[in-house]
């Protein structure tokens, strides 16, 4: 498994993957960026940088996350949420065919190993509140603001 660490506007992103695909992207507060990015991770790093620059709304990567079959079903459903849109945990549970699975869906969402690429940040509470984000709510808010079609203008 190859690794790379790059600086992003939200901290350092640590990538892991191999010839079978991208296994994880996680955000870490403290790390040292790596000078050399392994070839198998270069496209993922490039696409994430494009996302932060505002030039990419979808990712075209081979994904190979580790998880249970249920977790993978949840992560696949997350991929269907368009850029700039949100869904609630309840809506996601209904989409997966079991409204009673809301806690299991939330737990699987929290175990998402592919930060931003599998957009778990687009899941919010039924009342619109920003809840439950492993990367911290400040990052979730930043990501949703970044993807928002309506940009807040400064008064000054």
């Amino acid at each position: 498994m190859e690794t790379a660490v790059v600086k992003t506007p939200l901290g350092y992103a640590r990538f892991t993957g191999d010839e079978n695909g991208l296994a994880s992207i996680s955000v870490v507060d403290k790390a040292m960026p790596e000078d050399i990015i392994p070839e198998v991770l270069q496209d993922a790093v490039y696409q994430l940088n494009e996302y932060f620059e505002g030039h990419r709304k979808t990712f075209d990567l081979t994904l190979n996350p580790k998880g249970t079959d249920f977790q993978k079903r949840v992560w696949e459903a997350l991929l269907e949420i368009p850029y700039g849109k949100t869904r609630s945990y309840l809506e996601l549970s209904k989409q997966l065919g079991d409204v009673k699975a809301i806690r299991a869906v939330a737990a699987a969402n929290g175990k998402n190993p592919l930060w931003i690429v599998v957009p778990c940040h687009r899941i919010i509470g039924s009342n619109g509140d920003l809840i439950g984000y492993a990367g911290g709510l400040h990052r979730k808010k930043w990501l949703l603001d970044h993807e928002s079609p309506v940009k807040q203008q400064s008064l000054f």
Side-chain angles (χ1 to χ4, degrees):
M1 193 70 63
E2 302 282 350
T3 64
V5 176
V6 298
K7 187 174 168 68
T8 77
L10 295 174
Y12 294 94
R14 182 176 185 271
F15 296 75
T16 63
D18 58 24
E19 63 280 348
N20 296 316
L22 187 62
S24 71
I25 303 174
S26 57
V27 64
V28 293
D29 289 317
K30 294 182 181 179
M32 288 298 296
E34 297 177 7
D35 293 331
I36 299 173
I37 299 168
E39 186 175 342
V40 296
L41 298 174
Q42 287 177 359
D43 197 31
V45 170
Y46 180 79
Q47 288 188 36
L48 191 68
N49 283 332
E50 284 185 322
Y51 169 85
F52 280 119
E53 292 166 358
H55 303 300
R56 178 170 290 277
K57 295 182 178 181
T58 61
F59 294 90
D60 182 23
L61 299 166
T62 301
L63 306 179
N64 189 22
K66 304 296 183 243
T68 67
D69 289 343
F70 179 78
Q71 288 171 331
K72 289 178 182 180
R73 279 187 55 226
V74 171
W75 303 334
E76 287 288 327
L78 292 171
L79 290 170
E80 297 175 20
I81 304 170
Y83 181 96
K85 303 290 183 188
T86 59
R87 300 284 185 276
S88 71
Y89 289 105
L90 181 59
E91 289 172 313
L92 192 57
S93 297
K94 287 179 182 177
Q95 178 184 336
L96 291 166
D98 188 356
V99 69
K100 294 178 183 175
I102 191 167
R103 289 183 191 268
V105 167
N109 192 59
K111 299 277 188 200
N112 170 26
L114 290 161
W115 182 57
I116 299 175
V117 172
V118 175
C120 60
H121 61 278
R122 296 180 188 153
I123 299 297
I124 59 174
S126 293
N127 62 359
D129 285 350
L130 301 184
I131 56 173
Y133 192 63
L137 290 181
H138 67 289
R139 287 188 179 103
K140 183 173 192 163
K141 181 179 181 336
W142 190 98
L143 291 166
L144 292 175
D145 288 345
H146 177 69
E147 294 183 6
S148 175
V150 178
K151 302 295 182 197
Q152 179 65 39
Q153 305 248 338
S154 172
L155 297 175
F156 303 99

